[in-house]
């Protein structure tokens, strides 16, 4: 019985989140009422308050759930570091394209910024943990955390360019991965370790783990 109730709660929360995202695609948060959200979701008005305290709370919970799903899709890939990066970033760009309405909200709606910042912080943390294995070759000319934060920030800018106002015509997920490699991956590693070591790390098969 508890499991059935849990599934019902998850479904209700999902319906409410999807309804809010659809409405945010048309107008701002301040113009949307809770009753409109529940009517759009075909959920009882009172049910909203059994799950969330506010519209903002609903949005954050819904976005954070999706971001956890995305992070779970990013996994370890065999082969060179360059191959790992490319395959994982293709997962990211394909996911974002599949969930475009959600990501437009995430990138453009002010009340969604806490969730976006949390996502960025998660990516920074994952990259820093991975780069611990390269401390012996990282030069330290620029603070490592600053380099990683800059790379994650560039990814967000790329997503904003790609998705707004429409998906750029002819720019596929694969093309975005090419751009990401040219604009983020190679410059970041070049700055951290220099040209020669960068090539060895990215193209050598001695690298393990994965950078996102």
């Amino acid at each position: 019985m508890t499991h059935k109730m849990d599934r019902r709660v998850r479904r209700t929360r999902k319906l409410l989140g999807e309804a809010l995202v659809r409405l945010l695609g048309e107008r701002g948060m301040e113009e949307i009422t809770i009753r409109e959200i529940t009517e759009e979701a075909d959920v009882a008005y009172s049910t909203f308050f059994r799950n969330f305290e506010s519209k903002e709370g609903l949005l954050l919970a819904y976005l954070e759930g999706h971001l956890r799903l995305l992070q779970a899709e990013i996994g370890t890939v065999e082969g060179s570091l360059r191959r790992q990066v490319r395959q994982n970033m293709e997962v990211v760009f394909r996911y974002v394209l599949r969930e475009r309405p959600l990501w437009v909200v995430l990138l453009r709606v002010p009340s969604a910024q806490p969730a976006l910042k949390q996502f960025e912080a998660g990516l920074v943390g994952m990259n820093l943990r991975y780069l611990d294995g390269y401390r012996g070759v990282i030069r330290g000319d620029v603070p490592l955390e600053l380099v990683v934060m800059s790379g994650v920030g560039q990814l967000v800018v790329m997503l904003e360019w790609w998705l707004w106002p429409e998906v750029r015509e002819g720019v596929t997920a694969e093309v975005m991965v090419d751009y990401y490699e040219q604009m983020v991956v190679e410059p970041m590693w070049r700055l951290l370790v220099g040209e020669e070591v960068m090539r060895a790390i990215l193209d050598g098969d001695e690298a393990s783990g994965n950078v996102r």
Side-chain angles (χ1 to χ4, degrees), residues 1 12-13 47 90 98 139 155 170 184 189:
M1 182 66 176
T12 297
R13 287 171 168 248
T47 299
E90 189 168 325
R98 188 168 72 240
R139 299 187 301 191
L155 171 61
V184 179
W189 280 96

Side-chain angles (χ1 to χ4, degrees), residues 81-121:
L81 181 57
R82 189 184 299 277
R83 182 184 177 194
Q84 294 172 41
V85 171
R86 290 192 62 86
Q87 291 198 24
N88 278 325
M89 291 312 300
E90 189 168 325
V91 168
V92 171
F93 285 113
R94 287 185 180 280
Y95 183 94
V96 169
L97 186 59
R98 188 168 72 240
E99 301 289 344
R100 181 183 176 274
L102 170 68
W103 278 84
V104 169
V105 167
L106 188 61
L107 293 166
R108 288 286 176 167
V109 174
S111 52
Q113 294 309 295
L116 179 60
K117 292 300 181 185
Q118 181 175 326
F119 173 66
E120 292 182 54

